[in-house]
Amino acid sequence: MDDDNAPRGVVDPEVRAYIYSLVSALGGTGADEEGRYVLGDDALACLKDIKRWLKLYDEKANRLDVARCLAEANLVKGDLLEILAAWPEDATEDRVQSKIALACLEILVPLTWPIEINELQTTVNHHRHIPYLQLAQISYKRELLEHASSSILRTVVRIGLPSIALPIGERGSRDEGIIKLLLYFFRNVAMISAPHNLPVEWNEAEVSRSATIQAFHQQDVFALLLTIASNMGEDFNSQDVVVLEILFFLLKGIDIEKLFMNETQLEAKKSSDLQGLIAKEAAMLRGYAKNAPTRHNRFGTMIWVKRDDERMSSVSGQDILSNNQKTMSKMDQSKKWNRPKQRGRNAEQDPNHYDIPVPLTPSASENFRSFVEEFLDSGFNPLFSHLRRAIEREADRVLEVHAQQYFYLVSWFLEAERLRRKSKQSKLDKKSQATRTASEADSFGIVASVLNQETFILLNRFMQDRLDLKSWHEVNAGMRCFTQILYTVQEMAESSLEEDQEIAENIQNRIFYEETTHDRILAMLRGYKDQGFSYLDATTELSHVFLRMLERYSKENVDLQIRSRRRARKLNKVTTQEGESQDTTADRDSEAEDVAEVQRVSKERKFDFSRFSSKFLTQSCIDTFVVFTTFYKDLSTDQLKRAHRFFYRVAFKQEMSVMLFRLDIIALFNRMMKGPEALNSASPIFREWDELTRQLIKRMLKKLQQRPELAVEMLFSKISSTVFYLEYGYEKQTITTKPRAPAELEVKGSLSREEQIGVIVAVLHEDKLDAIDFVKNVLKSVIDERRSWEAEAEARNIFNGENGQDIANQTDSFKAPSTIVKPDNDERKLAMFKDNKLRLLMTLAGFERIRPDDDPDCTWIVPSNLTSAQLQETCDMIEKSRENPILQYGNEDPIPVEEMLRRKTVIRPRAEFDDDSEGDGLATDVEEEFLFPAGGPTNRKSDALAELQKKRRKRRVNITSDVEVDDDARDAKRKVRALAELEKRRKLKSDVLVHGSDDEDDEERDREFFAREAERRKGQSLKVLEALKLAEEDGSDTSISKKRKRSEGGKQQRKKTRYSSTDSESDVDELPRVQGIRSSPNPEDQNPSTSDHDFDSETPFSSPQNNPLNEIELNKALLRRNTDSFAAEKVSILAMDERDEEEEDEAMLRSSSTRMRGRLALLDDSDDD
């Protein structure tokens, strides 16, 4: 019992014994073999058993016991490496030895596989074995790189050469597995590094990056990588990800600038770095000497400060007695709140972390530079184009970390290419550079695979996704890649090749065209919080480079267009005059084209650089650069220049120096220039920073005199309203626009109320069921309330009836009050104002609004005149339509319910405006809306008016007058005509407003109407005959002029008779009889010339003394007798028109009366003839 509960060892003894027995049976060294390693009788089977133990026990059971036992048994150094070293290079045909070597490689790969610590799956067993296994892997790598007797890595390459030599079509799954196993082994070797938290017993330089690069170069591993990378996509497909990992772990952390320096430049760089370190040390010692300990430092010192709130603050230390500034500084440090930092993952333990610098030896640097140059010339484009396609289609072999490694390597190789070109140009002297012609080697085509549109799309999507996920290391890799692409494009634009210049122009246009790219860079700059210095450096560099290039490009391309993110509003359907939509296919196609055009135009706008650069003036962007500047002691000259350019742009280019008027910023700048830890005055950037600080403080003092409030605002960050006030001295006036209500909808056609409710419920049924339920619940609540009121009213009526009281007078007091519709949430309140479909359903349900439509707080009520029965009927309609919605209407050509809705036609009141006329007081058609619009049978125009106007124009052509009508007379005539037209419009009656009930037949009423009309016609005919007889008696047969006058009077009588006729058919039939009576005594009237002239002779040429019944008096008499007749109204209108025409002619012809008399004499002579 006690033995079972006793703690067992680190590894199960049975497992340890079995593993040890397999290692012993594998082979060993013997004295008889002169110290050479001798394989056991069944060595291949032992290797397979060890592989099976690693797979089934460690991997399946998530344990590390077998790996721990193999490390303790020294399997790698004592057996596996010896077996590989014993394989001679010329024994290529020995199949048994090849199989044994492959079996050794199959064991080496899992033993050297990087150990990942998963906090969710880590057990006590892992914590026991991981430190030991990490040290064991370091020893494995040391033995692999520096084996005493053989080159192990070259031997491993020989294992995979037969499979690599086969064409891709002839390789089997075994060959592909061998190649992948080979590459994974090199990946593991490159990835293993000495842990910083564990002590090692050997020199770390033996397993450093330089040792790895030297071994890869000497043992042909670099040649293998170049072969696979240059043939990627042709002879190799699935090995791209493994090659990517090998390159990543070889390249990360290497300083590219030092890599491409020659020996002279490298020595100068080292000496300058050494001088900088010595200067920093001297400054540190000077600062320490000021407060160096003295012989009295054993005495303690403490100062108590009593504050206003009766609290005590203490400051201790002798250094506080030296000066007041140090005392207050120490006191401020004691008041500073140190926020606890979140415990994050150690960056040094992350294998994908690339910010730790790695030094290289001169030999390793030279060998690695040659590999990088060869890779750029031959393997860059095939490998990275194949990797991009694999990442885009999310292949199974691609993991999330591979995208980060891909973009980091793109940025690394692009920077390497730029520095290689720079180093080449520095080596050429001026003479050779002047005579050198542009060759193909100078082109940027060797890196063209990462400068295409597909890479930009992948990069933008990667940065946006990782930014949303807040994966800052991956965002950092994307920013580095984007920055190096911008640098490369900038150099391409300055290239001597026209092809590179055109490509650079195209790339810049594509990059700067998307506004989302601009916003993303701003978001990454503003979003800095505590992501680390690497992220801070990357985001400030990207913002600096992007802003400078965009400024330059916008100046060269004035009409630069960018695509905005604004969404276009969908166009309304084209409606006919009746408001019905045209649902034909042609109209739908046209509408789709219109919507596409609107979307394209709305997303493109002219770029304004000043508007874009103003977005960098926010407090968050400035804070990011301020944090970056706080590391001024560790920043390089380029980094200090980057920060200086940003602050200069804010303060002087954008004229927003107010944003920098903050105590911490001013104190930082002052400390950089004159503080104890100031910048080195010999630095080339010191003078620029000093000038910036002086000018900024100068402006701040001037602004303090103008705005004393700045003294308080310097303690805080600036918001937009504060900045505006400090700049202009008054607050910014903001105008709030009142929201507009949506357009009211209605249901097409003449559907019943139930069908209309069914249509709108079917429309809302798709995605707004909650709106239907809301209306239904409101109706149910109101129904219960109304029933209670109705029951109370009924009880009161019964009670009052029994007591003999008047029930009719008390009915209104029992009426239910209107019920206010209350929204159930804020979204519903907004929908009741914005959702026109919900508003239509509420309107059809009987709800009413008691405020204007444009009021967002518009209140809906259920009016009191709706009874519970009516509301219950409406609720049943809604419930029925909700359970069984009808989605289409029509049998032959069904119409969707969405197309059954249209905008409701609203007649808006005319806008009132000030007339610029002379103020004659006349109302025009625009100023007055008439009660009865013209239309129907009464809108038929008489031909008499057109004929009169035609005759008048003919007379004006024949009459020549030397006197012109002045402007006053013309205005007077215009006013008279306008009054006549206005009076005519006011008296118009139209059948537009006549209802169908007027067409009902009533025989008795019709008989009386026709009898009255017959009497009126008879009386009118008698009056006309009486007037004609009087005219004949007063006429003279001997005088030609009187004969003419008599004939004119007869003509005028005929005219009056014709004018007095009505539009009815019976009146038209009476005209021949009246004309025949008048024409029989005067045969001269049958003369065509006389009749034509008779019609032209109007009131100004006739003598009113010879006519007993004047024309106007006759018309007045006829109008008085026919006031209630429809024809009388028409006679009045025509008489007014005739009087207006006569007055106009009289004004025009009165000045030439002499010539008119002469013309009349001539006419009389012609009549005699």
Side-chain angles (χ1 to χ4, degrees):
M1 192 70 179
D2 295 339
D3 296 338
D4 296 338
N5 294 331
R8 308 186 67 173
V10 177
V11 180
D12 190 351
E14 296 180 1
V15 175
R16 186 188 299 273
Y18 199 89
I19 296 299
Y20 281 1
S21 63
L22 288 176
V23 173
S24 300
L26 183 60
T29 58
D32 55 347
E33 298 294 337
E34 298 179 356
R36 292 184 294 107
Y37 187 86
V38 179
L39 289 173
D41 296 337
D42 204 0
L44 184 60
C46 293
L47 292 173
K48 291 182 179 180
D49 288 344
I50 294 174
K51 174 187 173 183
R52 193 175 296 111
W53 270 95
L54 286 171
K55 184 176 181 180
L56 297 178
Y57 193 84
D58 279 3
E59 294 183 10
K60 297 294 184 180
N62 191 21
R63 299 177 65 88
L64 300 175
D65 293 345
V66 177
R68 175 69 178 268
C69 294
L70 294 175
E72 293 175 352
N74 197 16
L75 173 69
V76 174
K77 180 181 178 181
D79 296 281
L80 299 182
L81 297 185
E82 297 297 331
I83 295 174
L84 292 176
W87 186 24
E89 295 183 1
D90 54 352
T92 55
E93 302 298 333
D94 192 350
R95 297 179 59 86
V96 176
Q97 190 70 26
S98 299
K99 289 183 179 181
I100 293 175
L102 180 60
C104 293
L105 181 62
E106 291 177 347
I107 297 176
L108 282 174
V109 170
L111 289 179
T112 57
W113 197 272
I115 300 174
E116 297 180 359
I117 300 176
N118 190 351
E119 297 180 358
L120 298 178
Q121 299 179 358
T122 303
T123 61
V124 177
N125 194 35
H126 290 82
H127 290 288
R128 289 174 179 173
H129 298 320
I130 285 177
Y132 187 87
L133 293 179
Q134 287 179 345
L135 294 176
Q137 288 183 349
I138 297 297
S139 63
Y140 298 161
K141 181 176 181 178
R142 183 169 62 92
E143 297 298 332
L144 287 169
L145 297 179
E146 299 180 358
H147 193 267
S149 61
S150 177
S151 300
I152 302 299
L153 299 181
R154 183 180 286 110
T155 305
V156 174
V157 171
R158 287 168 52 205
I159 296 175
L161 285 180
S163 300
I164 295 174
L166 293 175
I168 188 173
E170 299 179 4
R171 292 190 202 131
S173 59
R174 181 176 180 276
D175 296 322
E176 293 290 340
I178 292 174
I179 297 174
K180 188 177 295 186
L181 196 67
L182 178 69
L183 293 176
Y184 274 122
F185 173 72
F186 292 136
R187 191 277 312 265
N188 296 343
V189 173
M191 188 175 178
I192 294 174
S193 60
H196 298 277
N197 56 348
L198 295 177
V200 292
E201 299 177 356
W202 50 84
N203 188 6
E204 293 185 5
E206 297 178 356
V207 292
S208 63
R209 188 78 57 85
S210 298
T212 306
I213 292 174
Q214 286 291 93
F216 279 19
H217 174 73
Q218 295 172 0
Q219 302 183 33
D220 300 332
V221 178
F222 280 157
L224 175 67
L225 295 177
L226 289 174
T227 302
I228 296 177
S230 59
N231 293 279
M232 190 64 63
E234 298 179 359
D235 295 334
F236 304 95
N237 283 327
S238 60
Q239 293 81 12
D240 50 358
V241 174
V242 189
V243 176
L244 173 72
E245 293 183 356
I246 295 174
L247 292 176
F248 176 78
F249 291 112
L250 284 175
L251 298 175
K252 68 171 186 174
I254 295 179
D255 190 354
I256 308 174
E257 186 177 0
K258 292 181 179 180
L259 184 66
F260 285 92
M261 287 182 180
N262 52 30
E263 294 181 1
T264 306
Q265 293 175 346
L266 189 60
E267 291 296 332
K269 177 69 174 176
K270 289 182 178 178
S271 62
S272 63
D273 292 343
L274 180 60
Q275 290 178 1
L277 291 175
I278 293 174
K280 288 182 180 180
E281 183 183 10
M284 182 182 64
L285 292 176
R286 286 195 303 269
Y288 179 74
K290 292 180 181 180
N291 301 317
T294 63
R295 60 192 183 96
H296 298 288
N297 64 346
R298 62 182 180 273
F299 301 105
T301 302
M302 179 174 290
I303 298 177
W304 293 86
V305 180
K306 187 175 182 180
R307 293 183 291 179
D308 296 338
D309 53 357
E310 299 299 331
R311 292 186 179 183
M312 306 294 291
S313 297
S314 62
V315 183
S316 61
Q318 285 190 351
D319 54 346
I320 64 177
L321 300 177
S322 58
N323 52 27
N324 296 331
Q325 182 180 2
K326 191 155 290 187
T327 304
M328 301 304 295
S329 176
K330 198 163 188 178
M331 186 174 179
D332 291 340
Q333 291 177 3
S334 64
K335 293 186 295 185
K336 185 179 179 180
W337 178 59
N338 295 322
R339 186 178 63 176
K341 296 182 179 180
Q342 295 181 358
R343 185 179 178 182
R345 185 175 182 179
N346 190 1
E348 296 180 355
Q349 297 179 359
D350 188 4
N352 295 311
H353 193 73
Y354 43 78
D355 294 327
I356 302 175
V358 177
L360 294 180
T361 60
S363 59
S365 178
E366 183 179 356
N367 295 331
F368 194 64
R369 181 176 59 215
S370 62
F371 166 72
V372 170
E373 291 178 350
E374 292 179 4
F375 180 80
L376 284 171
D377 294 335
S378 61
F380 182 83
N381 282 337
L383 176 62
F384 281 86
S385 60
H386 199 270
L387 280 168
R388 176 184 53 79
R389 290 191 293 268
I391 295 173
E392 284 178 346
R393 64 174 179 266
E394 297 180 357
D396 295 337
R397 64 181 182 276
V398 178
L399 304 178
E400 293 183 0
V401 72
H402 291 150
Q404 174 188 353
Q405 296 175 356
Y406 172 82
F407 289 114
Y408 174 77
L409 288 181
V410 168
S411 66
W412 198 96
F413 281 109
L414 286 178
E415 185 178 1
E417 175 62 20
R418 291 192 303 105
L419 293 176
R420 183 176 71 155
R421 288 173 176 271
K422 187 177 180 180
S423 63
K424 283 184 178 180
Q425 291 177 0
S426 62
K427 292 178 182 179
L428 297 174
D429 55 4
K430 296 182 179 180
K431 182 178 179 180
S432 62
Q433 191 172 3
T435 58
R436 185 172 61 96
T437 59
S439 60
E440 186 162 344
D442 295 328
S443 175
F444 283 86
I446 58 177
V447 291
S449 61
V450 296
L451 298 178
N452 49 20
Q453 184 66 14
E454 291 80 4
T455 304
F456 299 151
I457 294 173
L458 179 63
L459 176 60
N460 290 327
R461 185 170 64 244
F462 171 78
M463 287 194 298
Q464 188 62 48
D465 293 344
R466 299 308 184 269
L467 187 63
D468 296 338
L469 296 174
K470 297 183 179 181
S471 181
W472 305 119
H473 289 294
E474 297 180 355
V475 174
N476 189 3
M479 288 191 295
R480 288 172 180 263
C481 180
F482 195 27
T483 304
Q484 294 303 323
I485 288 175
L486 292 177
Y487 278 130
T488 305
V489 172
Q490 185 177 1
E491 290 193 2
M492 290 176 64
E494 299 173 356
S495 175
S496 59
L497 297 177
E498 295 183 359
E499 183 181 359
D500 288 343
Q501 294 178 5
E502 294 177 358
I503 294 174
E505 179 72 18
N506 188 17
I507 292 175
Q508 290 183 81
N509 189 15
R510 290 182 177 180
I511 291 176
F512 299 141
Y513 177 67
E514 297 291 342
E515 191 182 23
T516 55
T517 305
H518 308 178
D519 298 338
R520 187 180 304 111
I521 292 174
L522 276 169
M524 290 185 293
L525 182 63
R526 294 173 180 175
Y528 173 77
K529 192 175 181 181
D530 51 0
Q531 290 89 340
F533 180 78
S534 177
Y535 181 91
L536 182 62
D537 184 29
T539 185
T540 52
E541 185 178 9
L542 176 59
S543 303
H544 173 71
V545 176
F546 187 84
L547 199 59
R548 288 184 58 194
M549 289 188 62
L550 183 57
E551 182 179 12
R552 182 185 306 172
Y553 187 75
S554 61
K555 290 180 179 179
E556 296 175 357
N557 299 269
V558 182
D559 298 330
L560 176 62
Q561 299 288 326
I562 63 173
R563 183 163 61 184
S564 177
R565 294 186 306 171
R566 292 178 298 176
R567 295 180 298 176
R569 294 183 179 179
K570 188 176 181 181
L571 290 178
N572 296 328
K573 292 184 178 180
V574 180
T575 56
T576 59
Q577 185 176 0
E578 293 79 12
E580 297 180 356
S581 61
Q582 300 175 353
D583 295 334
T584 60
T585 306
D587 293 336
R588 292 178 182 177
D589 296 340
S590 177
E591 180 189 354
E593 294 174 359
D594 292 340
V595 171
E597 181 67 15
V598 167
Q599 289 178 349
R600 186 184 66 82
V601 173
S602 65
K603 290 184 179 180
E604 288 187 358
R605 62 175 177 85
K606 187 176 180 180
F607 177 72
D608 186 5
F609 179 77
S610 60
R611 175 184 174 185
F612 171 70
S613 60
S614 63
K615 297 180 180 179
F616 285 85
L617 304 181
T618 59
Q619 198 67 52
S620 55
C621 294
I622 294 175
D623 290 342
T624 302
F625 272 91
V626 168
V627 174
F628 180 70
T629 312
T630 55
F631 299 95
Y632 66 92
K633 292 183 292 185
D634 301 325
L635 297 181
S636 63
T637 303
D638 294 336
Q639 292 171 334
L640 287 172
K641 186 181 295 185
R642 183 194 314 163
H644 174 272
R645 296 297 183 269
F646 176 79
F647 292 124
Y648 178 82
R649 180 184 297 275
V650 173
F652 300 101
K653 281 191 175 183
Q654 299 292 334
E655 295 294 337
M656 291 294 290
S657 55
V658 179
M659 299 294 295
L660 302 180
F661 294 162
R662 214 172 63 190
L663 284 181
D664 58 337
I665 299 177
I666 299 298
L668 173 63
F669 290 173
N670 184 69
R671 187 168 63 252
M672 291 174 62
M673 298 296 103
K674 299 179 180 180
E677 298 177 352
L679 286 174
N680 187 8
S681 59
S683 175
I685 198 65
F686 178 83
R687 186 173 180 180
E688 298 179 6
W689 271 101
D690 184 53
E691 184 66 21
L692 173 66
T693 304
R694 288 194 301 104
Q695 293 296 331
L696 189 63
I697 294 176
K698 183 178 179 181
R699 287 198 174 192
M700 182 189 67
L701 296 177
K702 185 178 180 180
K703 184 63 71 174
L704 278 171
Q705 295 177 358
Q706 296 176 357
R707 309 279 187 269
E709 301 87 355
L710 180 61
V712 179
E713 293 298 335
M714 288 180 64
L715 299 172
F716 310 101
S717 298
K718 311 294 187 300
I719 58 177
S720 58
S721 59
T722 305
V723 172
F724 188 88
Y725 176 78
L726 293 176
E727 284 288 341
Y728 303 103
Y730 58 89
E731 294 183 358
K732 188 176 182 179
Q733 302 295 327
T734 57
I735 300 175
T736 58
T737 58
K738 190 176 182 180
R740 295 179 55 187
E744 295 290 338
L745 299 179
E746 63 180 0
V747 182
K748 298 179 184 178
S750 57
L751 301 180
S752 63
R753 179 168 171 269
E754 182 177 1
E755 293 174 337
Q756 292 181 9
I757 292 177
V759 169
I760 187 60
V761 170
V763 172
L764 294 172
H765 190 273
E766 296 181 0
D767 54 352
K768 296 180 180 179
L769 280 174
D770 55 340
I772 303 175
D773 296 337
F774 166 71
V775 176
K776 188 175 64 175
N777 295 334
V778 171
L779 286 174
K780 290 181 179 180
S781 176
V782 177
I783 288 171
D784 296 339
E785 182 181 352
R786 296 290 165 89
R787 286 176 178 172
S788 301
W789 279 93
E790 291 171 359
E792 182 183 1
E794 185 178 358
R796 288 179 179 272
N797 292 337
I798 295 174
F799 177 75
N800 294 333
E802 294 177 355
N803 296 336
Q805 298 181 5
D806 188 4
I807 300 175
N809 297 332
Q810 300 180 1
T811 304
D812 295 338
S813 61
F814 302 151
K815 193 175 182 180
S818 299
T819 305
I820 298 177
V821 179
K822 297 181 179 180
D824 50 358
N825 50 39
D826 294 338
E827 295 180 358
R828 186 82 61 226
K829 181 179 180 180
L830 182 61
M832 290 170 63
F833 176 71
K834 287 289 187 181
D835 192 353
N836 49 7
K837 297 181 179 63
L838 175 60
R839 290 163 68 98
L840 177 58
L841 177 60
M842 296 173 68
T843 304
L844 292 176
F847 299 177
E848 295 179 357
R849 294 186 296 271
I850 60 175
R851 288 188 183 181
D853 293 344
D854 292 336
D855 188 1
D857 297 329
C858 173
T859 303
W860 289 78
I861 63 170
V862 180
S864 59
N865 55 359
L866 296 178
T867 62
S868 61
Q870 295 173 341
L871 295 175
Q872 184 63 45
E873 182 182 1
T874 303
C875 186
D876 295 340
M877 294 177 185
I878 295 175
E879 182 66 25
K880 179 181 177 182
S881 301
R882 186 187 185 282
E883 293 178 355
N884 298 313
I886 302 176
L887 302 179
Q888 291 182 345
Y889 283 82
N891 298 325
E892 298 180 357
D893 189 9
I895 302 175
V897 290
E898 291 81 2
E899 299 182 6
M900 292 290 293
L901 300 179
R902 67 181 178 189
R903 286 191 175 186
K904 188 176 182 181
T905 304
V906 179
I907 302 176
R908 301 187 180 275
R910 297 181 182 269
E912 297 180 359
F913 57 92
D914 296 334
D915 194 2
D916 295 334
S917 62
E918 299 178 358
D920 50 6
L922 295 178
T924 60
D925 294 341
V926 180
E927 296 173 350
E928 180 175 356
E929 293 185 359
F930 296 95
L931 182 61
F932 298 98
T938 60
N939 195 30
R940 186 176 64 233
K941 296 182 178 180
S942 175
D943 296 335
L945 182 59
E947 189 173 356
L948 286 173
Q949 294 175 353
K950 182 179 179 182
K951 294 294 183 180
R952 186 168 63 253
R953 286 194 298 269
K954 184 187 296 184
R955 186 179 69 252
R956 289 175 180 174
V957 172
N958 296 331
I959 297 175
T960 59
S961 175
D962 297 335
V963 181
E964 295 183 358
V965 182
D966 55 354
D967 294 338
D968 295 337
R970 188 178 290 108
D971 293 338
K973 288 186 290 182
R974 182 182 60 82
K975 293 178 181 179
V976 172
R977 287 196 300 270
L979 287 172
E981 181 67 19
L982 183 60
E983 188 66 23
K984 181 172 67 176
R985 288 288 306 274
R986 286 172 176 169
K987 291 184 178 181
L988 282 177
K989 304 293 188 297
S990 175
D991 66 345
V992 176
L993 303 178
V994 177
H995 301 285
S997 61
D998 296 339
D999 298 334
E1000 298 177 358
D1001 295 334
D1002 192 348
E1003 296 180 358
E1004 185 64 25
R1005 184 181 62 188
D1006 294 343
R1007 192 180 301 108
E1008 294 177 359
F1009 172 79
F1010 288 119
R1012 287 195 303 271
E1013 289 297 321
E1015 292 179 359
R1016 291 170 183 169
R1017 287 196 299 272
K1018 185 176 180 180
Q1020 181 180 354
S1021 300
L1022 293 176
K1023 289 293 183 181
V1024 172
L1025 292 175
E1026 194 177 65
L1028 292 175
K1029 288 179 181 180
L1030 292 174
E1032 290 175 356
E1033 291 176 358
D1034 294 339
S1036 174
D1037 297 335
T1038 60
S1039 176
I1040 297 176
S1041 61
K1042 290 186 176 182
K1043 184 192 307 181
R1044 180 172 178 78
K1045 290 177 181 178
R1046 195 165 51 248
S1047 64
E1048 289 174 358
K1051 293 294 182 179
Q1052 291 185 9
Q1053 294 295 335
R1054 280 205 312 272
K1055 284 167 60 179
K1056 301 308 175 185
T1057 306
R1058 185 166 64 244
Y1059 289 162
S1060 62
S1061 62
T1062 62
D1063 290 338
S1064 62
E1065 296 179 359
S1066 60
D1067 294 339
V1068 175
D1069 295 338
E1070 293 290 337
L1071 289 177
R1073 181 176 61 83
V1074 177
Q1075 291 177 358
I1077 295 174
R1078 174 65 188 91
S1079 59
S1080 57
N1082 296 291
E1084 294 87 358
D1085 294 340
Q1086 303 299 326
N1087 192 347
S1089 62
T1090 308
S1091 62
D1092 292 341
H1093 181 67
D1094 290 344
F1095 193 83
D1096 289 339
S1097 55
E1098 297 179 358
T1099 305
F1101 301 98
S1102 59
S1103 177
Q1105 289 125 0
N1106 295 331
N1107 199 350
L1109 185 60
N1110 200 334
E1111 178 185 7
I1112 299 176
E1113 294 177 356
L1114 177 61
N1115 288 331
K1116 289 182 179 180
L1118 292 175
L1119 288 173
R1120 280 195 299 270
R1121 293 195 55 185
N1122 299 283
T1123 53
D1124 55 348
S1125 174
F1126 185 82
E1129 296 180 4
K1130 188 172 182 179
V1131 170
S1132 175
I1133 295 169
L1134 295 177
M1136 292 174 64
D1137 292 341
E1138 185 176 1
R1139 284 199 302 273
D1140 294 339
E1141 294 169 2
E1142 290 172 355
E1143 292 175 0
E1144 179 182 355
D1145 295 339
E1146 183 178 0
M1148 294 176 60
L1149 300 177
R1150 186 176 294 118
S1151 61
S1152 58
S1153 60
T1154 305
R1155 294 183 60 186
M1156 302 310 292
R1157 292 192 187 94
R1159 186 172 182 270
L1160 288 175
L1162 293 174
L1163 291 176
D1164 291 340
D1165 294 339
S1166 64
D1167 290 341
D1168 293 341
D1169 294 338

